[in-house]
Amino acid sequence: MPDPVPASPEQRVDEWDGDHLRHRSDVFAEPGVDPAELSDDDLIREVASLHRTRLDTLRHASDAALATHLRRTADLETEYLTRHPGREIDPHRLRDG
């Protein structure tokens, strides 16, 4: 019988509901400032910081830290997309087909 596929961090952390972490203040403190309260420059800085630490967090952080990182990244990126729905798309980043 083959080994089972290992569970993802989202599956191993009970506070994860498949889309985002549930708000459980007894388990996770809210990380950082509410993205809606950040200036555009601060929002970009926060997103860039998370992207710089992404691989290290993926490879070496605890399941809870990775789940928090995923949630914070999603919150910040969602705020960016809310503010910039018509963001400029680089045609070189598009795939033909």
Side-chain angles (χ1 to χ4, degrees), residues 6-32:
S8 71
E10 296 87 354
Q11 294 166 327
R12 291 190 300 257
V13 177
D14 7 329
E15 291 75 29
W16 188 269
D17 72 3
D19 244 349
H20 59 282
L21 285 175
R22 294 184 197 122
H23 296 285
R24 293 216 18 212
S25 57
D26 58 324
V27 177
F28 293 103
E30 289 297 316

Side-chain angles (χ1 to χ4, degrees), residues 82-95:
T82 299
R83 292 183 193 186
H84 304 281
R87 70 192 196 288
E88 183 179 334
I89 305 298
D90 181 348
H92 294 101
R93 302 278 313 208
L94 300 175
R95 294 181 184 192

Side-chain angles (χ1 to χ4, degrees), residues 34-52:
D34 179 350
E37 295 177 11
L38 295 170
S39 69
D40 282 348
D41 288 341
D42 289 339
L43 179 63
I44 294 296
R45 188 190 74 245
E46 290 291 317
V47 170
S49 176
L50 283 168
H51 282 264
R52 273 192 313 276

Side-chain angles (χ1 to χ4, degrees), residues 41-83:
D41 288 341
D42 289 339
L43 179 63
I44 294 296
R45 188 190 74 245
E46 290 291 317
V47 170
S49 176
L50 283 168
H51 282 264
R52 273 192 313 276
T53 61
R54 177 73 179 132
L55 182 58
D56 189 57
T57 303
L58 177 65
R59 293 184 65 209
H60 305 295
S62 68
D63 291 341
L66 178 56
T68 299
H69 191 277
L70 292 168
R71 184 175 146 281
R72 182 66 174 168
T73 301
D75 289 348
L76 290 165
E77 289 178 348
T78 298
E79 179 63 25
Y80 179 84
L81 293 172
T82 299
R83 292 183 193 186

